[in-house]
Amino acid sequence: EFLEGLRLLSKLTESLTAAGASAISKQLEQQISAVDVATVRAFAGGVTSLLDDGDPRVQYVSMETLRQFAQAEGPARDDGFLDKEHGPEVTRTADEPAKKLSQFLAASSRELTVAACRALGCLGCAGEAYASEIGELLTGSRGGQSAAIDALAALGPAALGEFVETLATECLVHPSPCTRLAAAEALGVVRDETQRARAAHLVLGLVDSEEIHVRSAAASALGFLGHSASVDELARLLEDEAEDLSWTPLQVGGGIARPPMSMRKPACAALLSLGRLKAKEEAVKIAEMTSSEDWEVRCCAAQALGQLEDKGLEHDEQLATLLDDVAYRVREAACAALAALGAESHVGAVVELFTDTSPRVRQAAVTALASMGESGAELLSEVFPLLQDDASIVRAAAAKTLGAFSQSQGFASVLATTMLGDPEPAVRREVVNTLSTMGEYGAAFEEEIAELLKDPSPSVRSAAAV
């Protein structure tokens, strides 16, 4: 019935899209993800057989379903379904799906090629056997570069090894922002010191490129590579006020979303990389960027300061001024940075953002409270109104923050009676996780939590089982 339902629903889709496929396969996955792993593996075999269906819609959704099975939470994941860490038996389970998926890497449909890459990237050592075939997609005009890079990165350093030079010399200069970002992040996965040094040398040659998007990608890659020797070059890019706008025609036409700021602005990329490198010697320059007229630069400066530990804390006042910034993304970043630095002296200003107009800022503020020690505990009562916030991300964050304070144990009954029935799975999951930290107070609601073992959401069932 499951397989027939998957086939029939697939034929109802109007086009090959990840969103459509995910909606279908996730809906069906929820019906079986609570069963034992042997049954899930049996379903995987059936879904694999649907790859032979002549309808590309069925093939596409089947690939997405296999990918989701491999990434699933709960029993399927816990027992090692399609996971390379669980021995030869599991490897054999994934061999047949991997073999069939690899045949789509040369498909005439770009959508099918991308879906095959995504699925192979989740199949552990079975997918790694096809790393060379995936790597062939990195060059040429067939498309699917970013999906191929993501797949190789997911398969691990061994799969990436032979493509380090291609990533550094071709993918980082690719016209697509998605491909450039994927390449920068993938270089950070490389573990071999010789390969990392070679990659860093090649990337450094791109920092002075005349192309804005190339300078941005190179600066990002140096941060992911952890190349501390490039701090001076990155600091120099803080004065680069250029912005790449080559992507705008595609966005206007609905072809792509707005690229991340690190792929458009060299200064933003440099700031984020200096943060990743914990370049404390540049803390003063980074702090100066919090007063930039460009809100995206201010946002990246806040993120960078949050990673500089004691040197970042020396500039907490400059971060605190960003809590009143006109751009909600900057206020959000400032909250996260102050939390990362444990800046307890600013807890009052952070709590004031519990009523911010942006849900993301409210989420960041209540999350920050958990990192502010006793100062945060004294204002714990301010968290409770957020348990009824209109935004589910805020309610979930509020529940999680309560779990960070031992003083909140007495409020277990409030959480259990009002929040376990929240309409959003993410909120129910966080409430269960928080109750599990409340000792005997949370244990008093064992029966209510046990009811969630039948929850429609796999993640909620998984949390309740623990």
Side-chain angles (χ1 to χ4, degrees):
E1 291 179 358
F2 170 80
L3 296 174
E4 185 58 23
L6 183 64
R7 186 196 301 273
L8 292 175
L9 283 172
S10 301
K11 291 179 179 292
L12 294 176
T13 61
E14 295 182 359
S15 61
L16 304 184
T17 65
S22 295
I24 293 171
S25 49
K26 278 187 177 178
Q27 179 182 4
L28 294 168
E29 177 197 356
Q30 288 181 2
Q31 301 174 20
I32 67 167
S33 57
V35 302
D36 61 88
V37 71
T39 306
V40 176
R41 287 178 181 168
F43 274 108
V47 174
T48 299
S49 69
L50 291 179
L51 293 175
D52 294 326
D53 192 286
D55 191 326
R57 295 170 298 180
V58 176
Q59 294 168 335
Y60 186 95
V61 174
S62 299
M63 294 180 202
E64 286 291 298
T65 301
L66 285 171
R67 179 179 65 84
Q68 289 172 21
F69 281 166
Q71 294 179 318
E73 299 181 42
R77 166 57 59 193
D78 294 342
D79 290 341
F81 170 62
L82 301 182
D83 192 325
K84 69 177 180 179
E85 301 296 334
H86 292 74
E89 178 186 353
V90 179
T91 299
R92 288 195 297 272
T93 303
D95 277 347
E96 184 59 23
K99 181 179 179 180
K100 288 199 172 185
L101 286 166
S102 69
Q103 297 170 6
F104 288 91
L105 294 176
S108 57
S109 165
R110 179 182 178 277
E111 288 80 5
L112 291 179
T113 297
V114 167
C117 279
R118 282 198 296 258
L120 281 168
C122 299
L123 299 190
C125 50
E128 191 176 333
Y130 299 95
S132 294
E133 287 87 339
I134 296 173
E136 290 177 2
L137 295 171
L138 298 181
T139 57
S141 57
R142 292 177 54 198
Q145 283 90 349
S146 62
I149 296 169
D150 289 340
L152 290 170
L155 291 171
L160 275 173
E162 64 178 290
F163 304 108
V164 168
E165 188 162 336
T166 302
L167 291 172
T169 59
E170 297 190 46
C171 298
L172 274 183
V173 302
H174 195 275
S176 166
C178 294
T179 298
R180 297 196 300 274
L181 178 59
E185 293 177 341
L187 286 172
V189 176
V190 177
R191 290 291 170 263
D192 182 87
E193 289 302 323
T194 301
Q195 291 177 341
R196 290 175 71 88
R198 173 61 176 162
H201 173 73
L202 294 170
V203 174
L204 277 170
L206 302 176
V207 170
D208 294 320
S209 170
E210 293 183 2
E211 299 289 343
I212 302 170
H213 66 274
V214 175
R215 297 200 299 275
S216 300
S220 292
L222 290 171
F224 286 115
L225 279 166
H227 194 250
S228 299
S230 62
V231 167
D232 288 344
E233 286 79 2
L234 290 170
R236 181 162 46 82
L237 285 177
L238 296 181
E239 301 176 6
D240 191 333
E241 298 180 355
E243 178 179 6
D244 173 47
L245 298 174
S246 62
W247 52 274
T248 50
L250 279 175
Q251 187 198 38
V252 171
I256 61 171
R258 182 185 181 89
M261 54 191 79
S262 62
M263 289 294 106
R264 294 181 284 107
K265 298 181 179 182
C268 287
L271 283 165
L272 295 178
S273 286
L274 288 169
R276 292 189 187 99
L277 295 174
K278 297 190 182 301
K280 297 181 180 181
E281 64 271 32
E282 301 296 338
V284 173
K285 288 184 179 179
I286 294 172
E288 290 174 353
M289 304 298 281
T290 61
S291 59
S292 169
E293 294 183 0
D294 186 332
W295 74 264
E296 291 184 317
V297 171
R298 298 196 301 274
C299 183
C300 292
Q303 293 180 57
L305 283 176
Q307 298 180 72
L308 299 188
E309 301 169 340
D310 57 319
K311 287 297 182 181
L313 192 56
E314 291 179 5
H315 301 280
D316 62 328
E317 293 295 337
Q318 284 158 291
L319 277 172
T321 62
L322 298 182
L323 295 175
D324 296 321
D325 199 274
V326 295
Y328 79 89
R329 291 281 299 276
V330 178
R331 301 196 298 276
E332 178 187 21
C335 281
L338 289 169
L341 298 172
E344 294 187 29
S345 61
H346 298 287
V347 65
V350 169
V351 169
E352 288 182 8
L353 294 182
F354 284 7
T355 57
D356 194 273
T357 55
S358 166
R360 285 179 51 166
V361 175
R362 298 198 298 275
Q363 177 193 28
V366 73
T367 299
L369 194 70
S371 301
M372 294 190 167
E374 289 301 317
S375 299
E378 293 174 2
L379 295 171
L380 200 57
S381 61
E382 303 292 332
V383 173
F384 286 94
L386 297 184
L387 294 173
Q388 304 301 319
D389 196 276
D390 291 338
S392 62
I393 58 172
V394 179
R395 298 197 301 275
K400 186 174 183 178
T401 292
L402 288 177
F405 295 99
S406 60
Q407 297 91 332
S408 67
Q409 290 183 344
F411 299 100
S413 60
V414 176
L415 281 175
T417 57
T418 65
M419 302 292 289
L420 284 177
D422 193 278
E424 290 296 326
V427 178
R428 298 196 299 275
R429 182 183 68 242
E430 289 302 340
V431 171
V432 171
N433 290 337
T434 295
L435 288 172
S436 70
T437 69
M438 292 182 166
E440 61 183 22
Y441 295 92
F445 299 94
E446 183 176 348
E447 292 184 5
E448 288 83 351
I449 293 175
E451 286 295 315
L452 294 179
L453 292 171
K454 298 178 287 186
D455 195 274
S457 167
S459 65
V460 176
R461 294 197 298 270
S462 180
V466 175

